[in-house]
């Protein structure tokens, strides 16, 4: 099958580029759509990553511009041909131009211009209980740190009818060495969550006063549920006449399209 221009990527930026430029789109996103992710610029009447991703992919699908992939599919680029293997079937597409926003998981012939260590987006999910009075809002964390980079509290549907905080999610960006180091394990993330709760005055459930008048609390329970790990290819690859690598943002895409 001969296609004109094709975009491969895992971000809203990649999908939006495909939509604006009438390209075919190959989605490679493996990380879940997290409720706290937001866009720098609103598009299609939303500023959340999850809603924008779903909307753009729906539109591309209706326009027959979306190439279906699956979680376990393999993608290979040879010359001007794209091979996608899924469900024991190989789909081949010839293209004129290919724009790659994220090379992770793609087999490429392009030379590496600058080698960089791969990193891993690590998501740790925790159940919270015994926080004391029901908490409907707690300050989240976003900081310039690879370990416990983001911490967001939320209300989970595992507790029927709850509209108060029951869980939290922690995001880190780790190297392979860090991933194998106990100092960056889910146990250490758990300690970081407990320490943060204490720092914002969440001491747990009040039990009684000591003879000295000091209150006694039953400490909050922080239970690790699961850890998700997603690899990221950070190498810088050389462009060819037909295969281009880009990391354009939504703002840059809008600016470029406005000049036509």
């Amino acid at each position: 099958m001969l296609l004109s221009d094709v975009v491969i990527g895992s971000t809203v930026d990649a999908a939006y580029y495909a939509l604006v430029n009438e390209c075919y789109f190959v989605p490679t996103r493996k990380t879940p759509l997290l409720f706290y992710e937001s866009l720098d610029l609103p598009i299609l009447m939303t500023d959340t990553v999850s809603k924008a991703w779903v909307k753009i992919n729906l539109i591309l699908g209706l326009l027959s511009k979306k190439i279906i992939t699956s979680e376990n599919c393999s993608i290979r680029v040879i010359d001007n041909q794209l091979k996608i293997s899924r469900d024991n079937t190989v789909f081949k597409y010839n293209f004129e131009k290919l724009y790659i926003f994220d090379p992770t998981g793609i087999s490429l012939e392009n030379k590496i211009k600058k080698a960089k260590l791969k990193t891993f987006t690590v998501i740790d999910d925790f159940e919270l209980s015994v926080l004391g009075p029901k908490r409907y809002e707690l300050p989240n964390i976003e900081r310039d740190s690879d370990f416990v980079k983001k911490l967001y509290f939320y209300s989970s549907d595992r507790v029927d009818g709850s509209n108060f905080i029951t869980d939290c999610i922690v995001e880190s960006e780790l190297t392979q060495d860090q991933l194998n180091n106990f100092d960056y394990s889910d146990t250490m993330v758990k300690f970081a969550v407990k320490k943060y709760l204490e720092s914002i005055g969440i001491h747990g459930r009040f039990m009684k006063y000591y003879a000295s008048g000091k209150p006694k609390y039953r400490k909050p329970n922080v239970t690790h549920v699961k850890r998700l790990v997603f690899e990221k290819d950070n190498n810088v690859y050389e462009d060819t006449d037909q295969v281009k690598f880009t990391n354009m943002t939504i703002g840059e895409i809008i600016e470029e399209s406005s000049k036509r």
Side-chain angles (χ1 to χ4, degrees):
M1 182 177 180
L2 177 62
L3 307 177
S4 51
D5 295 345
V6 181
V7 175
I8 296 179
S10 59
T11 62
V12 171
D13 308 78
Y16 189 63
Y17 183 90
L19 179 63
V20 170
N21 292 282
E22 300 181 358
C23 302
Y24 288 88
F25 183 53
V26 181
T28 58
R29 187 180 185 99
K30 295 187 183 298
T31 56
L33 294 167
L34 301 171
F35 64 90
Y36 55 81
E37 292 181 301
S38 60
L39 300 171
D40 293 332
L41 287 174
I43 54 173
L44 301 178
M45 300 179 66
T46 183
D47 61 356
T48 64
V49 168
S50 57
K51 290 181 180 179
W53 177 262
V54 171
K55 282 185 176 182
I56 296 172
N57 276 271
L58 176 60
I59 294 170
L60 289 169
L62 293 173
L63 294 172
S64 298
K65 289 287 189 177
K66 181 178 177 181
I67 298 175
I68 303 300
T69 57
S70 63
E71 185 175 350
N72 298 316
C73 75
S74 64
I75 300 175
R76 188 173 184 181
V77 179
I78 303 174
D79 294 326
N80 69 324
Q81 188 175 77
L82 176 65
K83 292 184 177 181
I84 300 177
S85 301
R86 60 180 175 87
D87 302 326
N88 299 317
T89 305
V90 178
F91 299 88
K92 299 179 181 180
Y93 306 91
N94 292 321
F95 56 81
E96 294 179 4
K97 293 284 186 181
L98 175 64
Y99 301 93
I100 300 178
F101 277 72
D102 180 5
T104 302
I106 303 173
S107 176
L108 298 163
E109 292 184 318
N110 298 67
K111 294 181 180 179
I112 296 176
K113 184 162 56 177
K114 185 176 182 180
K116 293 186 176 182
L117 289 175
K118 62 183 177 182
T119 54
F120 298 84
T121 298
V122 180
I123 299 170
D124 287 295
D125 196 24
F126 295 90
E127 292 181 359
L128 306 176
S129 60
V130 197
L131 298 181
K134 289 181 179 179
R135 307 284 177 168
Y136 297 91
E137 187 174 329
L138 288 173
N140 302 306
I141 292 178
E142 282 203 22
R143 60 181 188 171
D144 187 19
S145 172
D146 294 334
F147 183 61
V148 190
K149 185 177 182 179
K150 299 177 182 179
L151 188 157
Y152 275 81
F153 297 98
Y154 68 99
S155 175
S156 170
D157 56 9
R158 67 180 177 81
V159 180
D160 291 338
S162 68
N163 60 350
F164 52 89
I165 290 172
T166 60
D167 297 64
C168 75
I169 191 169
V170 179
E171 182 179 335
S172 302
E173 196 76 21
L174 306 179
T175 64
Q176 182 72 69
D177 288 342
Q178 289 172 329
L179 196 60
N180 297 330
N181 189 328
F182 179 76
D183 289 342
Y184 299 88
S185 65
D186 56 80
T187 300
M188 298 307 293
V189 178
K190 178 179 176 178
F191 288 154
V193 173
K194 286 185 172 182
K195 184 177 180 180
Y196 179 65
L197 287 172
E198 185 177 357
S199 73
I200 58 175
I202 307 300
H203 302 296
R205 183 179 299 152
F206 173 76
M207 297 180 68
K208 65 177 183 179
Y209 286 102
Y210 290 104
S212 63
K214 184 178 179 180
K216 179 181 179 181
Y217 294 93
R218 181 184 172 191
K219 292 185 177 181
N221 287 333
V222 179
T223 305
H224 187 258
V225 178
K226 60 184 174 182
R227 166 169 275 202
L228 302 176
V229 180
F230 303 95
E231 182 178 325
K232 182 180 180 182
D233 183 352
N234 295 308
N235 289 323
V236 179
Y237 293 88
E238 290 185 1
D239 290 342
T240 64
D241 291 338
Q242 293 172 310
V243 180
K244 308 291 183 182
F245 295 84
T246 181
N247 57 357
M248 289 182 70
T249 64
I250 289 175
E252 291 169 337
I253 295 168
I254 293 173
E255 183 179 359
E256 181 186 73
S257 63
S258 66
K259 295 177 180 178
R260 295 172 190 166

